[in-house]
């Protein structure tokens, strides 16, 4: 008899898990019908989401209310749907430059409006849950694409002191709802890897700690179980690309305290995916995660998970560079050494944070065999040289524009000199750096480490590649593209 019951439970569990994968597969295949097409890149602002929120209100499926205002007077909204007993609360972008989950929320709003044959799933979700969404908790930060608020305070260190109006809104909303589940939605560095594997952490989960001892009570256990289920589901689509965020207790953070105050909290950190600069694929994974979580909570499928799966999720580690050039010969005082070069690209805001440009640097060199690069190029047999500055001067960008860049690379040049005033833009779309004559420093520094990578790569005396501001470009073959070079 016991055996029989066990068998029934096991079959039941397998069916629920299979259903969850089926649902996720369905969402994955048909994502385009849900995708909010008005959001196409990361640097959208509060004014971009206002008409979308109004459209959600007009459709009448969600209830939409103002929860309060940011320091600069931008409205922060709370949208809700469902009539179930269990309350679920999701908040996004408390860090202004972490927008991926906000985009996915708008896909979720479309999901409940779309006629897609998933009525049973939606009914299960909405009969059992009432789901609350607070998109873009930090609209002032989003406006200038920065982590902190107008007060220069990190909201996620303000749960107790309550000095930011945005933090007050978030805590007040939480206290009025007392949700069963909370989803704390962020973006992490794109350079986290899954353990020491050569895979980027596309999504990292955490059931935040509620004390320094990392105790596990039933509240935290439920978030661990749910994460286990979500881990299994997502691994189906991006095998090996899901990690666990560091579990150090942070007494000033919202997630850790919400967990302590009785809400099973799930931290979702969106990371990096090769080629997905604007995080549109990662946004799709967020969307699938949210709907899978709703269904998992509503169907109570997560309760059948053990916390073992959560414990097995590999940790976030830092084994990624944006670019690694391997096995290069490099001459140092007549001595030839063999080096790998690890290059990272830092994104800088420009034009009111509507645009951005990269500045790159060589962050490590030597034996980098334990690391991997989003771009990883084996240059065994090639020699590395510092790029030179072309001696002739030019009087306009237009003149520079007409140059034969391939010819310049072949002669070992990675920079040219402009002797007129520039327009003040610190970067150029041209594939060569521009040095301003009046700002020229005597560049006798031939160090690699910490420098801006402007390099020439040769084989048998012939130039094969140039590296301009950390972007590799083929000289003998059409390879790579310079996203931007620098004007300095
Ligand atoms: Zn964050």
């Amino acid at each position: 008899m016991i055996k029989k019951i066990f068998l029934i439970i096991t079959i039941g569990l397998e069916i629920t898990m299979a259903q969850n994968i089926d649902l996720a597969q369905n969402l994955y295949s048909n994502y385009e019908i849900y995708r909010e097409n008005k959001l196409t890149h990361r640097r959208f602002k509060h004014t971009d989401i206002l008409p979308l929120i109004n459209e959600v209100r007009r459709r009448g499926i969600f209830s939409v209310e103002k929860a309060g205002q940011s320091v600069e007077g931008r409205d922060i909204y709370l949208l809700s749907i469902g009539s179930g007993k269990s309350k679920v609360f999701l908040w996004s972008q408390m860090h202004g430059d972490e927008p991926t989950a906000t985009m996915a929320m708008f896909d979720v709003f479309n999901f409940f409006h779309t006629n897609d044959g998933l009525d049973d799933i939606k009914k299960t979700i909405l009969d059992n849950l009432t789901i609350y969404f607070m998109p873009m908790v930090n609209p002032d930060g989003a406006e200038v694409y920065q982590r902190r608020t107008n007060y220069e305070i990190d909201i996620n260190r303000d749960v107790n002191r309550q000095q930011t109006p945005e933090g007050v809104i978030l805590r007040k909303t939480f206290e009025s709802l007392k949700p069963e589940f909370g989803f704390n939605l962020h973006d992490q560095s794109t350079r986290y890897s899954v353990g020491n594997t050569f895979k980027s952490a596309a999504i990292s989960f955490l059931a935040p700690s509620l004390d320094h001892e990392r105790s596990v009570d039933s509240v935290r256990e439920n978030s661990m179980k749910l994460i286990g289920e979500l881990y299994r589901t997502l691994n189906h689509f991006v095998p090996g690309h899901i990690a666990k965020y560091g579990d150090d207790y942070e007494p000033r953070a919202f997630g850790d305290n919400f967990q302590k105050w009785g809400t099973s909290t799930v931290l979702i950190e969106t990371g990096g995916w090769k080629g997905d600069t604007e995080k549109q694929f990662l946004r799709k994974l967020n969307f699938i995660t949210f709907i899978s979580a709703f269904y998992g909570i509503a169907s109570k499928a997560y309760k059948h998970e053990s916390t073992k799966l959560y414990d097995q999720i590999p940790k976030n580690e830092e084994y990624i560079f944006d670019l690694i050039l391997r096995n290069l010969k490099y001459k140092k005082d007549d001595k030839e050494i063999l080096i790998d070069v690890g290059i990272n690209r830092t994104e800088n805001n420009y034009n009111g944070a509507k645009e951005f440009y990269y500045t790159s640097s060589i962050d490590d060199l030597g034996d980098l065999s334990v690391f991997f690069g989003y771009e990883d190029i084996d240059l065994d047999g090639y020699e590395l040289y510092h790029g030179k500055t072309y001696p002739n001067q030019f009087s306009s960008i237009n003149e520079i524009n007409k140059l034969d860049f391939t010819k310049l690379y072949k002669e070992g040049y990675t920079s040219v000199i402009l002797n007129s005033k520039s327009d003040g833009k610190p970067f150029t779309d041209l594939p060569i750096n521009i040095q301003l004559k009046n700002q020229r420093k005597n560049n006798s520094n031939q160090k690699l480490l910490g420098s801006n990578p402007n390099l020439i790569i040769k084989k048998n005396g012939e130039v094969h590649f140039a590296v301009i501001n950390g972007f590799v470009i083929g000289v003998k073959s059409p390879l790579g593209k310079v996203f931007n070079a620098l004007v300095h």
Side-chain angles (χ1 to χ4, degrees):
M1 186 63 184
I2 288 170
K3 251 191 186 162
K4 230 183 198 169
I5 290 171
F6 181 72
L7 191 69
I8 290 165
I9 291 171
T10 316
I11 292 170
L13 173 57
E14 273 165 13
I15 288 170
T16 344
M17 280 174 183
Q19 276 174 344
N20 286 353
I21 295 284
D22 283 352
L23 169 62
Q25 183 64 59
N26 194 323
L27 299 173
Y28 190 90
S29 306
N30 298 315
Y31 172 67
E32 286 307 316
I33 64 172
Y34 307 115
R35 189 186 139 81
E36 177 46 66
N37 287 321
K38 295 215 168 66
L39 299 174
T40 57
H41 59 83
R42 292 168 296 153
R43 285 160 189 270
F44 57 88
K45 316 276 185 213
H46 188 253
T47 48
D48 297 313
I49 65 166
L50 278 184
L52 304 179
I53 290 173
N54 283 333
E55 172 61 18
V56 173
R57 182 191 276 125
R58 195 195 58 78
R59 288 173 186 166
I61 308 172
F62 280 77
S63 119
V64 179
E65 56 173 287
K66 272 185 203 174
Q69 274 195 339
S70 70
V71 173
E72 293 171 14
R74 296 187 176 90
D75 291 328
I76 297 167
Y77 288 90
L78 186 68
L79 296 87
S80 60
I81 188 167
S83 54
K85 250 192 10 213
S86 293
K87 288 179 181 169
V88 176
F89 179 33
L90 299 84
W91 62 98
S92 74
Q93 216 170 344
M94 67 158 85
H95 295 140
D97 57 353
E98 300 178 10
T100 308
T102 304
M103 294 190 274
M105 276 191 186
F106 284 92
D107 301 337
V108 169
F109 302 153
N110 289 343
F111 169 78
F112 286 106
H113 177 71
T114 304
N115 222 331
D116 55 4
L118 296 177
D119 293 358
D120 291 350
I121 301 278
K122 288 173 194 172
K123 190 174 183 321
T124 302
I125 293 173
L126 300 178
D127 285 353
N128 289 286
L129 310 181
T130 307
I131 314 171
Y132 298 83
F133 300 84
M134 187 176 281
M136 201 185 271
V137 176
N138 181 5
D140 300 350
E143 196 67 17
V144 287
Y145 209 67
Q146 71 178 24
R147 178 181 177 90
R148 294 175 181 235
T149 70
N150 171 287
Y151 287 172
E152 299 179 75
I153 288 177
D154 181 342
I155 297 177
N156 210 21
R157 301 291 178 266
D158 193 37
V159 71
N160 297 317
R161 197 171 279 184
Q162 293 279 281
Q163 294 303 298
T164 59
E166 299 87 353
V168 170
I169 291 163
L170 186 52
R171 179 156 170 184
K172 260 202 184 141
T173 306
F174 170 82
E175 279 169 359
S176 73
L177 298 177
K178 295 204 177 353
E180 186 180 337
F181 274 91
F183 289 84
N184 188 7
L185 307 172
H186 293 255
D187 285 79
Q188 63 183 1
S189 162
T190 55
R191 291 198 285 266
Y192 279 125
S193 52
V194 178
N196 61 356
T197 69
F198 285 2
K199 288 191 168 174
S200 66
I203 302 275
S204 296
F205 289 105
L206 180 72
S209 298
L210 42 105
D211 54 28
H212 287 292
E213 291 70 39
R214 299 174 174 82
S215 311
V216 180
D217 62 0
S218 62
V219 172
R220 186 165 180 229
E221 190 176 86
N222 280 339
S223 38
M224 289 171 159
K225 287 178 170 179
L226 179 63
I227 289 171
E229 195 197 340
L230 296 173
Y231 171 66
R232 189 198 308 278
T233 303
L234 284 186
N235 242 335
H236 184 71
F237 302 102
V238 287
H241 281 279
I242 308 298
K244 188 157 51 186
Y245 197 79
D247 64 353
D248 287 344
Y249 174 61
E250 173 47 79
R252 302 167 300 167
F254 276 85
D256 306 51
N257 282 286
F258 287 1
Q259 187 92 282
K260 190 167 70 185
W261 296 334
T263 291
S264 296
T265 304
V266 174
L267 171 72
I268 300 179
E269 294 272 358
T270 299
W273 189 257
K274 186 180 163 105
D276 190 20
T277 309
E278 293 303 328
K279 299 206 174 179
Q280 297 303 308
F281 175 67
L282 295 171
R283 159 194 182 173
K284 175 176 168 174
L285 292 184
N286 269 255
F287 166 75
I288 292 164
T289 308
F290 299 162
I291 306 290
S292 301
F294 301 154
Y295 190 59
I297 300 168
S299 66
K300 300 196 163 47
Y302 77 93
K303 293 207 166 184
H304 304 299
E305 292 281 355
S306 88
T307 57
K308 274 203 193 103
L309 194 53
Y310 176 83
D311 294 335
Q312 287 164 11
I313 303 174
K315 285 189 180 137
N316 264 359
E317 300 281 0
E318 291 175 89
Y319 285 103
I320 305 184
F321 286 92
D322 287 324
L323 168 66
I324 296 183
L325 307 171
R326 294 190 192 276
N327 300 312
L328 281 159
K329 288 184 239 166
Y330 178 64
K331 266 219 173 101
K332 194 80 194 164
D333 307 329
D334 294 335
K335 188 127 173 85
E336 192 175 83
I337 57 173
L338 185 73
I339 53 170
D340 305 329
V341 180
I343 291 167
N344 286 325
R345 301 168 186 145
T346 304
E347 198 176 303
N348 308 282
N349 288 325
Y350 184 69
N351 184 20
K354 289 188 197 77
E355 297 173 55
F356 70 93
Y357 65 97
Y358 290 108
T359 47
S360 301
S361 73
I362 297 179
D363 283 357
D364 202 355
L365 57 87
D367 177 358
L368 303 185
S369 54
V370 300
F371 298 96
F372 75 103
Y374 278 112
E375 287 170 72
D376 204 307
I377 308 175
D378 186 4
L379 293 163
D380 190 15
Y382 289 82
E383 305 132 29
L384 180 68
Y385 297 88
H386 292 266
K388 297 183 294 185
T389 301
Y390 192 65
N392 294 5
Q393 300 186 1
F394 301 93
S395 53
S396 71
I397 297 270
N398 206 16
E399 223 177 287
I400 296 171
N401 197 10
K402 287 180 191 145
L403 293 170
D404 179 350
F405 299 112
T406 306
K407 189 165 174 285
L408 288 175
Y409 304 148
K410 277 184 181 164
E411 293 166 10
Y413 299 114
T414 53
S415 297
V416 295
I417 302 167
L418 178 69
N419 64 16
S420 70
K421 259 190 90 172
S422 83
D423 56 3
K425 216 173 154 181
F427 65 100
T428 171
D429 297 332
L430 297 179
I432 199 140
N433 297 296
I434 297 173
Q435 293 191 359
L436 301 173
K437 195 198 166 199
N438 50 3
Q439 288 180 22
R440 261 196 95 198
K441 291 168 233 131
N442 186 13
N443 195 4
S444 57
N445 177 9
Q446 290 285 287
K447 281 208 154 80
L448 286 174
L449 194 60
S451 73
N452 180 233
N454 296 298
L455 308 164
I456 291 292
I457 295 165
K458 293 187 192 176
K459 193 175 194 175
N460 302 326
E462 252 189 303
V463 175
H464 282 246
F465 305 97
V467 179
I468 309 287
N469 185 33
F471 295 94
V472 182
I473 186 153
V475 173
K476 291 183 81 74
S477 56
L479 175 126
K481 194 182 170 303
V482 177
F483 188 90
N484 70 271
L486 297 179
V487 178
H488 54 105

